[in-house]
Amino acid sequence: MKSTTAPRSRFFSIPALETVAAWLLAIIWIFPLLYAFWAAFHPSEFMVNFALFAPLTLENFTNAWSQAPFARYYLNTFALVTGVVIGQFIVCTLAAFAFARFPIPGKNVLFMLVLIQLFVFPEVLIVENYRIASELGLINTITGIGLPYVASALGIFLLRQTFKTIPRELEDAARIEGCNWLEILWKVYVPLAKPTYLAYGLVSISHHWNNFIWPLVVTNSVESRPLTVGLGVFSAPETGVNWATVSAATLLSIAPLLIAFLLFQRQFVQSFLRAGIR
């Protein structure tokens, strides 16, 4: 007799269960985004009425844009994210290069102290960071929002690990050509670590674009608020804004990141894979 358990075991195999679980997680993750699209592009009376031929409208977007200074929020957010990423690249590159190549006494202990930052929640440091920002006169400024994040333990760790995989022979050849340590860093190490820079830059941009608690604490005016804080103030219940308009405002806030991911998703995935291989 032929066994009838093979097809059943094949159907209930671990890869099949993983595929089903992945699809379920994907549906759960994307459902709020799909609902935001539905509410934003339909009149408010169709927010919970999922009629197939419900009329489409862009009125929610025009209302959201006119009721809050989103142009200023965009400018603040772009300035914040750009400044933080550039600062992180400079500080993390110099620190990672020192940890990877310079014979510093006790550098392993110092590196472990840097990594402790990964185990500390940023919210724990809000009071102390606010006190320091106040003493420096950085309250209600874009610099005050980004300064606590310039020295990133994650960035230092990723770049150090990448720099340690680069052959010393390349560094020796650059020294023979007369390069000093800064030229060696710029001409040898930085080009070979581009996948790591891209992967970390994507994580940093996404994090600081969506960061909310610290910008909320340190800002109190439109001139310095990023999109997340502006959206939070805009959608406060006491403002009386309907949720269709709030959904449109939410899409306006996430649109740059969403468009960038859809256009460059292949490069995103490849950069993470290459950074992980290193």
Side-chain angles (χ1 to χ4, degrees):
M1 293 179 62
K2 293 184 178 180
S3 175
T4 59
T5 59
R8 183 177 301 176
S9 62
R10 190 181 301 115
F11 180 78
F12 289 103
S13 63
I14 293 179
L17 293 176
E18 290 178 347
T19 302
V20 172
W23 275 103
L24 289 176
L25 290 175
I27 293 173
I28 294 173
W29 179 86
I30 203 173
F31 180 78
L33 184 62
L34 294 177
Y35 177 76
F37 271 98
W38 174 272
F41 285 99
H42 292 85
S44 57
E45 57 267 22
F46 290 94
M47 286 181 56
V48 293
N49 181 14
F50 302 103
L52 183 61
F53 298 103
L56 299 176
T57 181
L58 295 177
E59 184 179 358
N60 296 320
F61 291 93
T62 57
N63 290 338
W65 189 268
S66 62
Q67 293 177 18
F70 277 99
R72 182 68 187 189
Y73 293 157
Y74 271 116
L75 180 62
N76 294 341
T77 304
F78 276 114
L80 170 64
V81 171
T82 303
V84 169
V85 171
I86 292 175
Q88 286 178 336
F89 280 176
I90 295 174
V91 173
C92 295
T93 298
L94 296 175
F97 185 66
F99 281 124
R101 289 298 188 238
F102 287 173
I104 304 173
K107 68 176 182 179
N108 291 331
V109 176
L110 294 175
F111 184 65
M112 293 301 296
L113 292 176
V114 171
L115 292 184
I116 291 176
Q117 179 187 346
L118 295 175
F119 300 95
V120 179
F121 290 102
E123 291 77 11
V124 177
L125 304 174
I126 283 182
V127 175
E128 185 64 21
N129 286 339
Y130 187 89
R131 184 186 66 81
I132 296 174
S134 179
E135 292 178 355
L136 296 176
L138 298 178
I139 299 299
N140 199 35
T141 64
I142 295 177
T143 303
I145 302 174
L147 189 60
Y149 300 97
V150 170
S152 170
L154 177 61
I156 295 173
F157 171 76
L158 291 176
L159 289 173
R160 173 186 178 270
Q161 298 305 108
T162 302
F163 290 164
K164 286 177 71 68
T165 63
I166 297 175
R168 284 289 187 119
E169 289 76 9
L170 297 177
E171 180 179 339
D172 295 336
R175 290 187 185 278
I176 293 174
E177 294 294 329
C179 296
N180 56 36
W181 70 268
L182 190 59
E183 291 173 329
I184 293 173
L185 174 62
W186 180 251
K187 295 180 180 180
V188 176
Y189 286 88
V190 171
L192 293 176
K194 282 184 179 178
T196 303
Y197 281 107
L198 182 56
Y200 174 70
L202 297 175
V203 173
S204 178
I205 290 172
S206 176
H207 173 75
H208 294 291
W209 189 280
N210 296 307
N211 194 14
F212 178 74
I213 298 297
W214 173 245
L216 176 65
V217 171
V218 81
T219 60
N220 51 37
S221 68
V222 173
E223 285 71 22
S224 58
R225 282 176 185 158
L227 275 168
T228 51
V229 179
L231 181 62
V233 174
F234 175 79
S235 59
E238 59 268 16
T239 60
V241 180
N242 67 66
W243 286 105
T245 307
V246 172
S247 298
T250 302
L251 293 184
L252 288 174
S253 300
I254 66 174
L257 289 181
L258 189 61
I259 293 173
F261 176 77
L262 293 176
L263 291 178
F264 304 105
Q265 56 182 323
R266 179 176 298 179
Q267 290 84 346
F268 289 177
V269 174
Q270 288 178 351
S271 66
F272 280 105
L273 291 177
R274 291 175 181 173
I277 292 173
R278 288 181 182 275

